[in-house]
Amino acid sequence: MHILRHLNRAKNAALRQLKFKGLNAWLNMTCRPQAWAPDKIKRILLLRLDDKIGDMVITTGTARQLADKGYHISVLTGPVCEALLAYSDAVHHTYRYDKRMSLSVLRQQRFDVVIDFDDVRNYERLRLLHRLAPRYVIGFNKSGSARYAPQLVWRDSERHITERHRAVLALFNLLPAPFRYSLGRDPSAVDALAPYLSRPSDEWIIAINPFTGSEDKDFSREQVAGLIAHLRRRNVRFRVLLIGRGDLLRRWELADAAFIVDSTINTAVEIVRSADLVVSPDTSIVHMACAFNTPLVAIYNTRRLKDSGLVGYNIWAPHYDNAVQLVIDQPSVSDLPLDALCLAVDDKLADITRQRRNGELTRCRAATSAEDYRQR
């Protein structure tokens, strides 16, 4: 049975590749790319089809700058990112992507340009672009596909992912400016978190995010429990909030930490917005922390990105001054010695204390609108 399933998957993959090559060849013969004219563009659709939260958090920086210049911004993405964008004033419409979805509503929008941020090349994506029929499709590393125009080349493991987004903004003649992510505020998430934020003025909130999308980047239960025990031995009052799915965190049975049972992506945003310090492996929580300038200790391994093969710890670094990034040689983040993790957290807590004493720590907790972001 296993062999039959393997053969069926191989057959389907071969058919999709054949269909991609056929459609791409036909489009290469029939497409006549128009000269790039940003002054004629009004309606923009951003593609984030894989529903990856970290990618979407960073994409909000591009959406913010384009929206502030008067462009009408829509996003096509999955259900989690749809929820993340529900309260974003930078995005006018969010559409939920499905391979079998009807495109009638999207086609009625008559988008002037679609921006595809991914390096992915497949039949479903090319067919979607063909059927939407925008005037332009901005794409990265899509040589040999005439449907993508303008095309941008970006493969550099030494430059941060925001540089890819800056390349897009340059096409719209937007001058280099601080690239700030733009996350809205879900009232129901604020209400869900409120009981956990009632605390004495001298109590710190330490948020720990144990989980990522890959086991080799996850913290172990032993690391989290050990860090909490270490924090409890300090002569400072702490409250530890865990970020993640309630069903997974409940299994860990950590008595000295709280978590939101019915957590959502937007409760995670509010925890990061409210925390005094976040501790996390390489995942979307890192970029949420950047959005609010929340002090951060982030742990990365040296794994390579699936789509490009590039090492991810430079491209997806926290990329702001209030973050500490540890890159470990061990294959798994769970192999990081507890002493090293505790030392990094102690150093960051000392740094936060110094900044507070000197009035140097600036937070962006309440920034939820375009005007808020302009006034930072």
Side-chain angles (χ1 to χ4, degrees):
M1 199 64 167
H2 175 74
I3 295 175
L4 288 176
R5 285 198 295 267
H6 177 74
L7 290 174
N8 189 54
R9 285 196 295 268
K11 179 198 72 174
N12 291 337
L15 285 174
R16 285 195 297 272
Q17 184 64 13
L18 184 63
K19 288 161 69 176
F20 167 76
K21 289 182 178 180
L23 177 58
N24 191 52
W26 183 74
L27 291 174
N28 285 346
M29 289 188 294
T30 57
C31 279
R32 297 293 180 268
Q34 300 184 40
W36 176 247
D39 56 310
K40 296 180 180 179
I41 293 171
K42 294 181 179 180
R43 305 179 73 85
I44 300 173
L45 178 66
L46 310 181
L47 295 191
R48 296 266 55 149
L49 305 185
D50 53 15
D51 205 26
K52 291 182 179 178
I53 304 166
D55 287 14
M56 193 68 251
V57 171
I58 291 172
T59 302
T60 63
T62 297
R64 170 86 279 150
Q65 292 198 37
L66 291 172
D68 284 351
K69 290 298 181 180
Y71 294 104
H72 186 283
I73 306 299
S74 298
V75 179
L76 181 60
T77 190
V80 179
C81 290
E82 180 185 33
L84 180 71
L85 296 176
Y87 297 91
S88 170
D89 66 344
V91 176
H92 293 83
H93 294 287
T94 305
Y95 302 94
R96 184 179 297 192
Y97 173 68
D98 185 274
K99 289 182 180 179
R100 298 174 181 82
M101 68 185 294
S102 169
L103 296 181
S104 57
V105 173
L106 284 170
R107 286 173 60 86
Q108 289 171 10
Q109 301 304 309
R110 298 183 179 277
F111 294 109
D112 298 301
V113 59
V114 174
I115 305 176
D116 182 359
F117 290 96
D118 296 320
D119 291 339
V120 176
R121 291 158 54 98
N122 59 32
Y123 172 72
E124 290 82 7
R125 189 172 297 239
L126 192 60
R127 179 175 177 268
L128 169 68
L129 295 171
H130 171 55
R131 294 185 62 194
L132 290 178
R135 181 180 299 157
Y136 308 105
V137 179
I138 298 174
F140 287 87
N141 307 316
K142 297 296 195 306
S143 61
S145 292
R147 189 63 192 92
Y148 286 89
Q151 290 200 26
L152 298 169
V153 177
W154 194 91
R155 289 187 185 277
D156 190 339
S157 61
E158 298 303 316
R159 291 195 294 166
H160 194 259
I161 190 66
T162 51
E163 296 303 315
R164 176 182 285 233
H165 290 257
R166 289 182 187 278
V168 171
L169 295 172
L171 289 173
F172 292 86
N173 299 320
L174 292 176
L175 297 176
F179 192 92
R180 298 190 176 104
Y181 315 147
S182 178
L183 296 175
R185 200 158 204 177
D186 177 354
S188 63
V190 174
D191 291 343
L193 190 60
Y196 301 91
L197 298 182
S198 178
R199 53 176 170 152
S201 59
D202 63 341
E203 184 176 77
W204 292 35
I205 290 182
I206 310 297
I208 303 176
N209 171 59
F211 304 124
T212 69
S214 305
E215 288 187 6
D216 66 309
K217 297 195 297 181
D218 291 349
F219 285 148
S220 68
R221 183 191 182 283
E222 291 71 25
Q223 284 173 316
V224 175
L227 177 59
I228 293 173
H230 173 77
L231 291 171
R232 293 302 176 202
R233 289 191 291 269
R234 292 176 58 95
N235 190 27
V236 181
R237 298 180 67 174
F238 292 97
R239 175 174 300 185
V240 176
L241 283 181
L242 301 178
I243 302 173
R245 285 172 44 188
D247 57 332
L248 297 179
L249 293 172
R250 186 184 293 109
R251 297 174 196 168
W252 279 15
E253 298 181 346
L254 295 172
D256 288 338
F259 60 89
I260 297 177
V261 175
D262 299 318
S263 62
T264 66
I265 187 59
N266 288 327
T267 56
V269 169
E270 293 309 317
I271 291 174
V272 173
R273 191 196 305 263
S274 303
D276 297 293
L277 173 66
V278 172
V279 183
S280 176
D282 171 19
T283 190
S284 61
I285 299 301
V286 167
H287 310 298
M288 292 180 192
C290 179
F292 307 121
N293 198 34
T294 303
L296 170 74
V297 174
I299 315 299
Y300 286 59
N301 62 7
T302 56
R303 78 193 316 261
R304 293 183 177 273
L305 304 177
K306 185 174 73 172
D307 293 338
S308 65
L310 299 176
V311 176
Y313 61 82
N314 282 331
I315 298 171
W316 291 99
H319 204 54
Y320 67 110
D321 292 341
N322 218 13
V324 172
Q325 181 189 27
L326 296 185
V327 180
I328 64 172
D329 293 330
Q330 293 93 335
S332 296
V333 166
S334 60
D335 295 328
L336 174 68
L338 178 60
D339 289 349
L341 177 60
C342 292
L343 179 61
V345 171
D346 282 348
D347 287 346
K348 190 59 187 173
L349 289 171
D351 184 52
I352 297 169
T353 301
R354 179 192 58 77
Q355 290 184 63
R356 286 182 171 183
R357 186 184 303 119
N358 297 334
E360 299 172 355
L361 184 59
T362 303
R363 297 294 302 278
C364 309
R365 293 176 179 174
T368 58
S369 69
E371 187 61 28
D372 289 332
Y373 276 83
R374 282 192 289 270
Q375 291 178 357
R376 284 184 187 179

